[in-house]
Amino acid sequence: MLSAPLAHADTGHDKDRVKRFTLTSTNSQGQFPNITADLLDRDGENVGFVTTNCVTANSTPPTTTCHGSYVLREGEITWQHGQRSLQTPFVIAVTGGTGEYCEARGQIRVVRTESAPDGGLYELEVITGRKCSTT
């Protein structure tokens, strides 16, 4: 399972711009750590896809750096993460976005469970900004 804790949106200014949503990944393709998967909302409707690409440095201990995107109808949310162990849980940083998410920021907590080996659950809380161009 992949999930996210709430981002720290503790100012009155941010509270109006916080978007919370849960996405489930299915139909995973590729081989970890370089995969893509469809994304479904809580109603089971396809809302886009997620993509993940990682590079591992042959160091002691090995270090893995990953980046990816949630590509959704309203725009794209990008993220990046580096770690020395692929063991979960871990937190990834939201690095930005496009469209409705052009000023996205926050973090995503990733947790895997045996109940979802080929998919996962992503719970996101993203802080958005001004209205942005979609073209």
Side-chain angles (χ1 to χ4, degrees):
M1 176 193 305
L2 304 174
S3 65
L6 301 180
H8 298 287
D10 55 7
T11 67
H13 175 69
D14 286 341
K15 288 180 184 175
D16 293 336
R17 302 182 305 145
V18 173
K19 292 185 175 249
R20 293 180 182 94
F21 48 97
T22 300
L23 302 171
T24 302
S25 63
T26 62
N27 193 27
S28 183
Q29 299 175 34
Q31 188 171 20
F32 186 81
N34 302 303
I35 62 166
T36 185
D38 294 333
L39 291 172
L40 308 178
D41 64 13
R42 287 183 188 256
D43 298 326
E45 183 178 337
N46 188 309
V47 295
F49 65 94
V50 61
T51 182
T52 301
N53 295 285
C54 299
V55 174
T56 300
N58 189 12
S59 58
T60 305
T63 303
T64 301
T65 302
C66 299
H67 66 276
S69 299
Y70 298 97
V71 181
L72 308 169
R73 291 182 195 135
E74 303 85 14
E76 185 173 324
I77 300 169
T78 58
W79 59 268
Q80 183 171 338
H81 176 69
Q83 65 188 35
R84 291 197 161 153
S85 168
L86 291 177
Q87 298 301 312
T88 58
F90 54 85
V91 177
I92 58 178
V94 172
T95 57
T98 64
E100 192 173 311
Y101 308 106
C102 70
E103 291 184 348
R105 63 181 196 246
Q107 64 184 22
I108 301 160
R109 181 175 156 84
V110 178
V111 180
R112 260 191 207 96
T113 64
E114 292 178 356
S115 63
D118 295 327
L121 178 70
Y122 303 81
E123 292 176 352
L124 293 87
E125 178 168 287
V126 179
I127 301 170
T128 60
R130 60 184 166 75
K131 290 289 185 187
C132 301
S133 172
T134 57
T135 58

